[in-house]
């Protein structure tokens, strides 16, 4: 999973948050809520899909990817997102965007 962070998650997060800050640069409630909503609706499913795929590819079980996504993507999003939402809210609100 270290390769996941190095080659995908780190660069993707850097690009994603840069894009969000470029499109919604103000420190207003509207911009803040827009960023958090986009994180939930766009970033979450993409990253979860890539994590499932990456793990199965590393285990040489690529044929199981479609079934894994059909079976586990939505439950993972429903069960995991409330916890991640709180972390994202805190991160977005209290961590300076210049470091992302």
């Amino acid at each position: 999973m270290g390769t996941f962070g190095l080659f995908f998650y780190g660069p993707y997060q850097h690009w994603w948050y840069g894009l969000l800050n470029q499109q919604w640069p103000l420190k207003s409630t509207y911009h803040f809520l827009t960023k958090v909503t986009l994180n939930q609706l766009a970033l979450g499913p993409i990253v979860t899909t890539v994590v499932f795929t990456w793990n199965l590819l590393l285990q040489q079980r690529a044929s199981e990817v479609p079934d894994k996504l059909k079976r586990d993507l939505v439950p993972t999003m429903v069960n995991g997102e409330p916890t991640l939402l709180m972390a994202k809210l805190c991160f977005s609100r209290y961590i300076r965007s210049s470091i992302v």
Side-chain angles (χ1 to χ4, degrees):
M1 284 305 293
T3 58
F4 171 77
L6 179 65
F7 294 115
F8 175 75
Y9 195 67
Y12 186 68
Q13 291 283 77
H14 179 78
W15 172 82
W16 175 254
Y17 288 111
L19 177 68
L20 290 181
N21 287 331
Q22 184 179 29
Q23 296 297 316
W24 296 279
L26 302 178
K27 297 265 184 199
S28 68
T29 301
Y30 172 76
H31 283 205
F32 170 71
L33 292 175
T34 300
K35 292 176 190 180
V36 170
T37 301
L38 286 171
N39 267 331
Q40 294 297 108
L41 298 178
L43 182 68
I46 291 169
V47 170
T48 304
T49 298
V50 175
V51 165
F52 287 160
T53 303
W54 197 284
N55 278 327
L56 289 172
L57 290 176
L58 288 175
Q59 297 172 34
Q60 298 178 347
R61 296 168 41 198
S63 63
E64 298 177 31
V65 170
D67 290 335
K68 175 74 171 172
L69 293 174
K70 286 178 195 171
R71 184 182 66 240
D72 293 341
L73 181 62
V74 172
T76 299
M77 298 302 301
V78 169
N79 294 323
E81 285 302 315
T83 302
L84 292 174
L85 176 60
M86 293 309 296
K88 290 174 186 174
L89 285 169
C90 291
F91 182 80
S92 297
R93 190 67 175 160
Y94 299 110
I95 304 297
R96 291 182 39 196
S97 63
S98 63
I99 68 167
V100 180

